[in-house]
């Protein structure tokens, strides 16, 4: 019997032997980028508390503390991916980690919400160069047959970060001041830098494109205007306000100009021809819609567990463990379902499960048994795992290996933009519904204090505390108003997830019809069901 020839490998043998150690270093780099947002989600209540405990940030300032990071991150991912492909992914990883570490140290010692927002933007700048490079390096140290398994483990790393983040944040907030949730990033950055210098090989695109500064400016300006308009609409509880409409309209106009410019440019930040592939577009859309729904819902879940249910930041972190555990369990194994049922069935089922869990938040109230919330979180994590792993593989294997930086940048851009808009849109829905519900109860306060008190449940509870015994009724009304607002917001999130399920059912491919090999890098060999 003839022994089959060993497959031709495109990865050097020395790199191939240490590929799993390299994946561990990449996951550590990914960990701090995701960890930061999951820690911040637990800390938002503390930061919203007046000084000296927190910074006294309003709900809109909290949204900007999250979105300043996300918008800079998303706006620069195009350029970060191109720079990685052009200059070398290891170089931009090292530079991005260094900037992220510096931004974290500065954010820890912010003296006002405005300073925190500014330093979060610096952190976003660093993270923009970290996230796409990790996935691009992965695609260049693993052969095509091992890429789905490696991407599954990489996606499971997000679950690990989600688990570690809230617990770490809770422990830090129980023992230290709020800035410690940012300062904790610094030692992790130093460890990641040392391991990366030792283990990770450099790689680049042999035929890179030129940098597109005008495209970068247009994308960042468009996103900032759009999200600012949405946040302002929620803050005013009036989306028909002239300022809100003009800002949103200007943002959309700039984004349209960005697309037109990119289409005509001979060196675009984003090659819009990628989106002619319906499979690629559907996978990218699924990523954006998942994070739109998820980020918007997790934003209010923290206020539900801490403000309404009375749990501490550490207890809130522990309550979110099932969501992270489910991602860690199912993300590396999602490829097994894809092999059996195909991308379309696996991803659509994951989105339907996610929609059901988001809708379940509409049934929660102030005394719902906490184990029900734990079941909802676990199922939410399972649904996410069966969406993110398949679509990440589809996106990365649709484009040629040399364009791994661009493919990763596009995937992460739409994920971050989806998350930013989820926080902005669903945060605004939450704010508007809350203000509408609590307005009539705020008449016990002086006229000048009513608008500020209606900003968020934390603002209302702060005013209620000052009223002493008379404030107990107002605190009860605040809880009721928040629960109503949470129910409305959860149903919006579920609706967005259902749209994602429809898109994937319509456009994603079914089961693979034949083995794929490196000669067809960049082509999906699938059959439509």
């Amino acid at each position: 019997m003839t022994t089959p020839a060993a497959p031709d490998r495109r990865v050097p043998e020395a790199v191939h032997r240490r590929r799993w150690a390299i994946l561990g270093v990449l996951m550590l780099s990914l960990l701090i980028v995701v960890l930061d947002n999951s820690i911040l989600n637990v800390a938002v209540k503390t930061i919203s508390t007046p000084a000296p405990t927190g910074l006294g940030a309003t709900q809109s300032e909290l949204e900007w503390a999250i979105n300043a990071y996300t918008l800079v991150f998303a706006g620069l991912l195009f350029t970060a991916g191109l720079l990685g492909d052009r200059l070398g992914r290891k170089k931009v990883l090292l530079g991005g980690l260094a900037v992220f570490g510096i931004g974290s140290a500065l954010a820890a010692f912010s003296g006002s919400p405005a300073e925190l927002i500014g330093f979060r933007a610096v952190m976003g700048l660093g993270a923009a160069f970290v996230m796409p490079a990790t996935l691009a390096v992965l695609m260049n140290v693993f052969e095509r047959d091992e890429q789905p398994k490696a991407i599954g483990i990489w996606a499971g790393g997000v679950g690990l970060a989600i688990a570690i983040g809230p617990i770490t944040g809770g422990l830090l907030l129980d023992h230290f001041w709020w800035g410690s949730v940012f300062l904790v990033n610094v030692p992790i950055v130093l460890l990641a830098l040392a391991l990366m210098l030792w283990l990770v090989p450099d790689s680049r695109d042999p035929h890179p494109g030129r940098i597109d500064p005008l495209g970068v400016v247009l994308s960042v300006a468009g996103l900032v205007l759009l999200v600012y308009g949405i946040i302002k609409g929620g803050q005013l509880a009036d989306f028909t306000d002239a300022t809100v409409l003009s800002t949103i309209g200007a943002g959309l106009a700039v984004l349209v100009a960005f697309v037109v410019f990119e289409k005509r440019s001979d060196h675009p930040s984003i090659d819009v021809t990628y989106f002619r592939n319906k499979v690629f577009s559907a996978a990218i859309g699924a990523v954006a819609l998942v994070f739109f729904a998820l980020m918007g819902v997790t934003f209010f879940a923290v206020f539900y567990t801490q403000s309404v249910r009375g749990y501490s930041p550490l207890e809130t972190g522990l309550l979110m463990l099932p969501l992270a555990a489910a991602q860690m369990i199912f993300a590396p194994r999602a490829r097994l379902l894809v092999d059996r049922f195909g991308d379309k069935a696996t991803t659509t089922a994951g989105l339907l499960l996610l929609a059901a869990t988001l809708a379940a938040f509409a049934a929660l109230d102030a005394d719902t048994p906490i184990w029900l919330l734990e079941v909802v979180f676990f199922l939410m994590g399972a649904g996410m795992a069966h969406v993110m792993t398949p679509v990440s593989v589809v996106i990365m294997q649709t484009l040629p290996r040399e364009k791994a930086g661009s493919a990763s940048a596009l995937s992460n851009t739409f994920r971050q933009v989806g998350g930013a808009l989820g926080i902005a849109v669903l945060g605004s829905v939450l704010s508007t519904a809350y203000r509408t519900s609590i307005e009539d109860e705020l008449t016990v306060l002086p006229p000048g204090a009513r608008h500020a008190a209606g900003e968020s449940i934390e603002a209302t509870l702060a005013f209620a505390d000052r009223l002493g015994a008379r404030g107990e009724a107002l605190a009860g009304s605040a809880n009721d108003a928040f629960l109503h607002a949470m129910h409305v917001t959860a149903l919006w999130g579920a609706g967005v997830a259902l749209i994602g399920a429809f898109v994937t059912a319509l456009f994603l491919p079914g089961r693979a019809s034949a083995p794929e090999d490196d000669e067809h890098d960049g082509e999906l060999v699938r059959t439509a069901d």
Side-chain angles (χ1 to χ4, degrees):
M1 186 167 122
T2 306
T3 304
D8 291 333
R9 295 209 170 270
R10 298 178 57 180
V11 178
E13 183 59 30
V15 174
H16 182 72
R17 281 198 305 268
R18 65 177 192 267
R19 64 197 185 283
W20 297 109
I22 293 169
L23 178 60
V25 179
L26 297 177
M27 287 178 63
L28 183 63
S29 304
L30 174 72
L31 182 82
I32 59 166
V33 175
V34 180
L35 181 82
D36 179 71
N37 267 336
S38 58
I39 282 184
L40 185 59
N41 283 339
V42 175
V44 289
K45 180 178 182 294
T46 305
I47 295 171
S48 69
T49 307
T53 305
L55 291 175
T58 64
Q59 185 151 323
S60 61
E61 287 171 336
L62 288 174
E63 290 174 16
W64 271 109
I66 295 171
N67 283 330
Y69 174 92
T70 306
L71 286 175
V72 174
F73 188 8
L76 292 176
L77 275 168
F78 301 138
T79 303
L82 282 174
L83 281 174
D85 288 344
R86 183 187 182 100
L87 302 176
R89 285 121 191 180
K90 181 176 180 176
K91 293 183 182 69
V92 300
L93 255 175
L94 292 169
L97 280 171
V99 172
F100 184 88
I102 293 167
S104 297
L106 292 171
F109 297 100
S110 300
S112 67
E115 284 186 16
L116 178 61
I117 291 167
F119 293 138
R120 288 277 297 162
V122 174
M123 293 170 68
L125 172 64
F129 288 86
V130 173
M131 180 72 89
T134 60
L135 200 47
V137 170
L138 181 156
M139 296 300 287
N140 281 275
V141 299
F142 284 90
E143 299 292 349
R144 191 173 182 84
D145 59 340
E146 283 189 322
Q147 286 171 2
K149 181 179 180 181
I151 289 174
I153 295 171
W154 181 88
V158 176
L160 180 64
I162 292 173
I164 294 173
I167 296 169
T168 305
L171 283 169
L172 290 169
L173 291 172
D174 274 359
H175 295 93
F176 304 102
W177 95 115
W178 63 267
S180 61
V181 301
F182 298 111
L183 202 59
V184 73
N185 292 333
V186 177
I188 303 175
V189 165
L190 294 174
L191 177 61
L193 285 171
L195 290 173
M196 197 169 297
L197 285 167
W198 177 34
L199 286 171
V200 176
D202 209 352
S203 62
R204 67 185 71 196
D205 183 352
H207 306 292
R210 287 186 289 146
I211 305 304
D212 173 27
L214 181 56
V216 173
V217 171
L218 288 173
S219 65
V220 173
L223 286 168
V224 169
L225 286 168
L226 177 63
V227 177
Y228 177 80
I230 293 169
I231 292 174
K232 192 68 177 176
Q235 185 182 1
L236 298 174
D238 180 11
F239 280 88
T240 62
D241 180 81
T243 304
V244 173
L245 288 176
S246 61
T247 308
I248 291 174
L252 291 172
V254 173
L255 290 174
V256 169
F258 167 72
V259 172
V260 172
F261 176 78
E262 296 299 289
K263 194 172 181 180
R264 295 178 178 177
S265 174
D266 59 356
H267 57 286
S269 291
I270 173 173
D271 188 345
V272 294
T273 60
Y274 294 156
F275 292 93
R276 292 176 184 167
N277 184 322
K278 291 181 180 178
V279 171
F280 181 80
S281 296
I284 286 283
V287 168
L289 291 171
V290 163
F291 274 82
F292 181 100
L294 186 78
M295 291 298 288
V297 171
T298 51
F299 183 72
F300 70 64
V302 172
F303 286 98
Y304 170 69
T305 54
Q306 293 188 40
S307 299
V308 176
R309 301 301 297 263
Y311 290 101
S312 69
L314 175 58
E315 289 168 336
T316 296
L318 292 171
L319 287 174
M320 290 185 177
L321 264 179
L323 189 153
Q327 283 207 25
M328 292 173 63
I329 293 167
F330 293 113
R333 295 170 175 79
R335 64 192 170 84
L336 302 176
L337 281 182
V338 171
D339 291 343
R340 183 167 182 181
F341 300 107
D343 291 306
K344 177 184 294 189
T346 304
T347 306
T348 303
L351 280 160
L352 289 173
L353 179 57
L354 182 63
T357 56
L358 294 174
F361 273 93
L364 300 178
D365 55 35
D367 53 7
T368 298
I370 205 64
W371 66 266
L372 284 175
L373 179 64
E374 299 298 88
V375 171
V376 169
F377 276 145
F378 184 83
L379 293 176
M380 183 182 290
M384 273 199 71
H386 288 96
V387 176
M388 293 312 300
T389 298
V391 298
S392 294
V393 173
V394 167
I395 291 165
M396 295 307 295
Q397 292 192 343
T398 301
L399 301 185
R401 184 194 292 255
E402 341 21 283
K403 300 296 181 185
S406 298
S408 177
L410 280 170
S411 173
N412 286 295
T413 296
F414 276 81
R415 186 174 81 173
Q416 293 301 320
V417 170
L421 291 177
I423 291 169
V425 173
L426 296 185
S428 295
V429 171
L430 181 74
S431 179
T432 302
Y434 178 77
R435 185 182 290 280
T436 303
S437 296
I438 199 67
E439 270 180 334
D440 293 341
E441 311 301 326
L442 296 177
T443 53
V444 297
L445 298 174
R450 291 171 191 171
H451 184 82
E455 179 80 20
S456 67
I457 183 173
E458 282 304 306
T460 308
L461 293 176
F463 278 98
D465 284 343
R466 297 173 197 168
L467 293 176
R470 292 188 303 122
E472 291 180 8
L474 180 58
S477 298
N479 284 343
D480 292 341
F482 179 82
L483 286 170
H484 166 74
M486 183 181 81
H487 295 163
V488 172
T489 309
L491 292 176
W492 274 64
V496 170
L498 285 175
I499 294 171
F502 176 76
V503 169
T504 56
L506 205 58
F507 296 113
L508 277 195
R511 291 195 296 173
S513 60
E516 298 171 12
D517 57 47
D518 273 329
E519 290 180 9
H520 295 90
D521 246 358
E523 298 176 17
L524 282 172
V525 186
R526 309 276 184 180
T527 56
D529 288 341

